[in-house]
Amino acid sequence: MSDPRPIGMFDSGLGGLTVAREVFRCMPGETVLYLGDTARCPYGGRSEETIKTFGMQDARFLVEQDIKMLIVACNTVSSVALDYVRAEVNDIPVVGVVQPGARAAVQRTTRKKIGVVGTAATIRTGSYEKAIHDIDPDITTYALACPLFVPLVEEGLLDSDITRLAAHRYLADLVAKGIDCLILGCTHYPLLLETIQSTVGGGIQLLDSALWAAREARDILFAMQGLSLQPGGGRERSRFYVTDVTPQFAQNAARFLGSPLSNIEKIELEQLTKTI
Ligand code: DGL
């Protein structure tokens, strides 16, 4: 059996395209409906109440379009509002990025010391630490907000002096704690992988939640016999909705997705806000 309906995914902006990229890699037959709330991005410095409202609005927009699964590709919304979103869409599976990333780290740490980096909102919730301790309470976690990383990535400063300096300032203390795994708990951070790796050294394994979330989505669909088996891949049939298109849009989107973005549709913010 196979389910040809699309997978819905949303993020505060374009960063969730790092998750879309992994979805296309590990499920090439799937069609994706992606929503990037670029008009209101970033979410990571906002209050929990606002993040919950935005997350619910994003989820509703996609659920109205007959999707078979919802991936909350944003770490901030996954941390703050996953249960709210799940309650809203109780008839299809909802996959966040936190649990898969945490599980992958728990499986890999040998020193039982895991670091987590993310936005201020993600770190404030303690979501990764909770997910790790639910699996293994003996693991020590060290979590740190790195608010400068998102704007640096948005500016395309992936490998620059200023980014290396920020990485050193943020990460030196985590390294000194003796961690052997570091979870990149933000959609933007995989783009800084090389800078972060060279800052922390080769002895620390970096875990990209985007990759593990895509694999979890695939495993769930496989178990439900819901994987799409359409030949030729679904990327061309996928649609990318955004709430704002800036002059840097195409360049940023290609950076996150790994190739140029097509099938883009700009929607009015009112289409999200009309329900709540
Ligand atoms: N998508 C967000 C996340 O993964 C990062 C950007 C933002 O702050 O909205 O946490």
Side-chain angles (χ1 to χ4, degrees), residues 33 36 45 115 168 223 230:
L33 293 185
H168 181 74
Q230 295 182 55

Side-chain angles (χ1 to χ4, degrees), residues 75 78-79 82-83 86 94-107 127-128 130-132 134-135 183 209 212-213 216:
N75 283 264
S78 293
S79 296
L82 195 66
D83 290 343
R86 279 217 171 99
V94 177
V95 176
V97 282
V98 172
Q99 305 282 341
R103 209 173 300 127
V106 170
Q107 284 162 0
S127 58
Y128 275 99
K130 278 186 215 126
I132 289 167
D134 281 349
I135 308 170
I183 301 175
S209 289
W212 302 102
E216 174 153 318

Side-chain angles (χ1 to χ4, degrees), residues 18-219:
T18 53
V19 185
R21 177 184 189 159
E22 299 301 338
V23 166
F24 291 129
R25 251 189 216 149
C26 74
M27 295 183 277
E30 293 299 335
T31 307
V32 163
L33 293 185
Y34 181 96
L35 168 63
D37 187 9
T38 42
R40 300 187 294 188
C41 189
Y43 287 5
R46 296 181 187 268
S47 70
E48 300 205 354
E49 200 187 343
T50 300
I51 294 164
K52 277 179 190 161
T53 304
F54 288 2
M56 292 286 261
Q57 291 171 341
D58 299 339
R60 276 194 193 164
F61 173 80
L62 290 167
V63 169
E64 278 167 8
Q65 306 193 48
D66 195 24
I67 52 174
K68 63 179 169 185
M69 166 181 269
L70 180 67
I71 302 179
V72 179
C74 179
N75 283 264
T76 299
V77 178
S78 293
S79 296
V80 172
L82 195 66
D83 290 343
Y84 287 82
V85 172
R86 279 217 171 99
E88 175 75 8
V89 289
N90 49 18
D91 51 342
I92 55 165
V94 177
V95 176
V97 282
V98 172
Q99 305 282 341
R103 209 173 300 127
V106 170
Q107 284 162 0
R108 279 159 186 80
T109 181
T110 50
R111 287 192 213 148
K112 288 188 178 278
K113 287 185 179 185
I114 299 175
V116 184
V117 284
T119 64
T122 294
I123 298 306
R124 213 165 47 228
T125 62
S127 58
Y128 275 99
E129 290 119 299
K130 278 186 215 126
I132 289 167
H133 290 142
D134 281 349
I135 308 170
D136 185 345
D138 293 334
I139 291 176
T140 308
T141 53
Y142 303 93
L144 185 77
C146 303
L148 287 178
F149 279 170
V150 166
L152 286 168
V153 171
E154 294 273 332
E155 287 300 319
L157 296 167
L158 306 185
D159 180 28
S160 68
D161 291 355
I162 188 168
T163 308
R164 278 191 293 275
L165 182 63
H168 181 74
R169 278 285 179 93
Y170 281 141
L171 303 173
D173 284 352
L174 281 185
V175 176
K177 303 280 187 208
I179 58 168
D180 60 358
C181 286
L182 178 62
I183 301 175
L184 306 182
C186 174
T187 49
H188 286 55
Y189 299 179
L191 274 76
L192 299 177
L193 200 111
E194 281 167 26
T195 301
I196 293 175
Q197 191 76 72
S198 66
T199 305
V200 301
I204 296 180
Q205 193 174 345
L206 303 185
L207 293 145
D208 171 4
S209 289
L211 169 69
W212 302 102
R215 291 190 183 174
E216 174 153 318
R218 179 193 58 194
D219 293 347

